[in-house]
Amino acid sequence: MGGIGGECDHWDMLSETVNITSKQVRELKHAAFNILKNSYRFNVFDMPTYCTADTEMKDCMWTCKEGVGDPNSELAGYLGVYTSINTSDHSVVKKVAHELCNTPYYPGDHLEAGSPIEASFWPIHPTLDRLLQYKDLVRPFNDTTWADYNCTGLNTSHSSGCAKSNCESSPWSNCEGHHAYDLTFWQTVSFDSTEKIYKKSYRTNQEVRNAVLAGTSDYLLPYIYDNFEWSHCEDIGVHFAKVLSQNEE
């Protein structure tokens, strides 16, 4: 979700000036987010430390380090990972590096830690929270078991050490932070049933999930939604069952 904005359409001319296909140009555009992010992380590009809100994009962008267009450069490595561009061709790498270093563009992908840069990031989380509350009130899940394949015997050779893992993409990490019992990084404001006050504290993933369930658990969060209606869905013929108030039940 999101994409890349700016002047990257200018890269279309690469297929006319160097040995690059139009498919590889599309790959380059698709990978622009990762290339820019990793080039910053590994000190390939120097980023500006400050730009005013009215600074034009071309005057507020990165500068490339010397040698960035060499076939053995870090940038050439990214091109080899993210695209099918022939990185052994010095002229191709040099030209692509020149375009990446001099084309004003900006990332907008809802992806990884850079997600907040895409506007869609901000409404998604409260929308899912609201939908989860609605689901729990109208038709709760039959099974709320939090699967936990607590693998043992993990080692540096990336062996999972067990038949099942909590995460398919990175079995050697055992997905620390995703277990039911893992504490969340941020503190949560929730109702303390013993002291009868709202308190900020670290909660486990499962405690946070249970706190938001308004139908099958004790609702503990300090906010309520005004309604569970989605008029834009009604407009296209998708109708949600009404949530009845206590007086209507």
Side-chain angles (χ1 to χ4, degrees), residues 4-130:
I4 296 294
E7 301 177 15
C8 51
D9 282 344
H10 177 67
W11 297 344
D12 291 340
M13 64 84 183
L14 284 170
S15 60
E16 302 173 4
T17 57
V18 290
N19 188 25
I20 293 180
T21 66
S22 56
K23 175 179 178 292
Q24 290 170 332
V25 172
R26 290 196 300 273
E27 292 172 351
L28 181 63
K29 291 180 179 181
H30 184 74
F33 171 87
N34 285 318
I35 291 174
L36 181 60
K37 178 183 65 175
N38 287 324
S39 294
Y40 163 71
R41 283 179 172 174
F42 295 100
N43 206 29
V44 178
F45 294 168
D46 282 329
M47 295 294 183
T49 56
Y50 176 78
C51 296
T52 61
D54 59 351
T55 303
E56 291 189 31
M57 185 166 53
K58 64 181 179 61
D59 297 321
C60 184
M61 57 181 291
W62 51 93
T63 56
C64 293
K65 298 291 184 67
E66 186 177 351
V68 72
D70 295 340
N72 296 322
S73 67
E74 195 84 34
L75 181 59
Y78 300 151
L79 295 176
V81 170
Y82 296 120
T83 75
S84 59
I85 291 173
N86 179 14
T87 55
S88 64
D89 188 327
H90 188 188
S91 63
V92 170
V93 175
K94 186 176 181 179
K95 181 62 177 176
V96 172
H98 178 270
E99 293 301 321
L100 287 170
C101 292
N102 293 280
T103 301
Y105 73 91
Y106 53 88
D109 275 355
H110 188 153
L111 177 69
E112 300 177 346
S115 292
I117 202 169
E118 160 56 31
S120 64
F121 170 88
W122 297 100
I124 279 181
H125 292 85
T127 296
L128 290 176
D129 177 275
R130 187 165 167 240

Side-chain angles (χ1 to χ4, degrees), residues 132-152:
L132 177 59
Q133 290 195 29
Y134 171 81
K135 167 74 174 173
D136 196 57
L137 286 165
V138 175
R139 191 170 63 184
F141 290 105
N142 294 324
D143 184 0
T144 58
T145 303
W146 196 300
D148 178 30
Y149 309 119
N150 193 14
C151 302
T152 58

Side-chain angles (χ1 to χ4, degrees), residues 4 6 40 51 60 67 124 127 162 169 174 189 196-197 218 220:
I4 296 294
Y40 163 71
C51 296
C60 184
I124 279 181
T127 296
C162 61
S169 61
N174 202 24
V189 176
K196 306 299 182 183
I197 58 172
D218 292 329
L220 302 177

Side-chain angles (χ1 to χ4, degrees), residues 90-247:
H90 188 188
S91 63
V92 170
V93 175
K94 186 176 181 179
K95 181 62 177 176
V96 172
H98 178 270
E99 293 301 321
L100 287 170
C101 292
N102 293 280
T103 301
Y105 73 91
Y106 53 88
D109 275 355
H110 188 153
L111 177 69
E112 300 177 346
S115 292
I117 202 169
E118 160 56 31
S120 64
F121 170 88
W122 297 100
I124 279 181
H125 292 85
T127 296
L128 290 176
D129 177 275
R130 187 165 167 240
L131 284 169
L132 177 59
Q133 290 195 29
Y134 171 81
K135 167 74 174 173
D136 196 57
L137 286 165
V138 175
R139 191 170 63 184
F141 290 105
N142 294 324
D143 184 0
T144 58
T145 303
W146 196 300
D148 178 30
Y149 309 119
N150 193 14
C151 302
T152 58
L154 303 181
N155 56 50
T156 55
S157 65
H158 293 176
S159 172
S160 64
C162 61
K164 290 185 176 181
S165 174
N166 287 296
C167 47
E168 296 178 2
S169 61
S170 184
W172 53 86
S173 75
N174 202 24
C175 275
E176 298 300 330
H178 292 259
H179 306 117
Y181 52 80
D182 286 335
L183 290 177
T184 56
F185 182 81
W186 305 106
Q187 295 187 67
T188 300
V189 176
S190 57
F191 187 72
D192 187 307
S193 302
T194 302
E195 298 186 28
K196 306 299 182 183
I197 58 172
Y198 285 95
K199 295 175 60 177
K200 181 184 289 187
S201 61
Y202 292 103
R203 296 271 189 166
T204 66
N205 287 322
Q206 189 159 11
E207 286 174 336
V208 172
R209 186 194 67 181
N210 291 346
V212 80
L213 299 180
T216 60
S217 185
D218 292 329
Y219 186 72
L220 302 177
L221 299 184
Y223 60 87
I224 58 173
Y225 289 103
D226 178 59
N227 63 69
F228 293 98
E229 300 171 2
W230 289 270
S231 58
H232 60 285
C233 295
E234 299 276 347
D235 291 342
I236 60 173
V238 178
H239 303 282
F240 286 80
K242 184 178 180 181
V243 176
L244 300 177
S245 67
Q246 290 183 340
N247 294 332

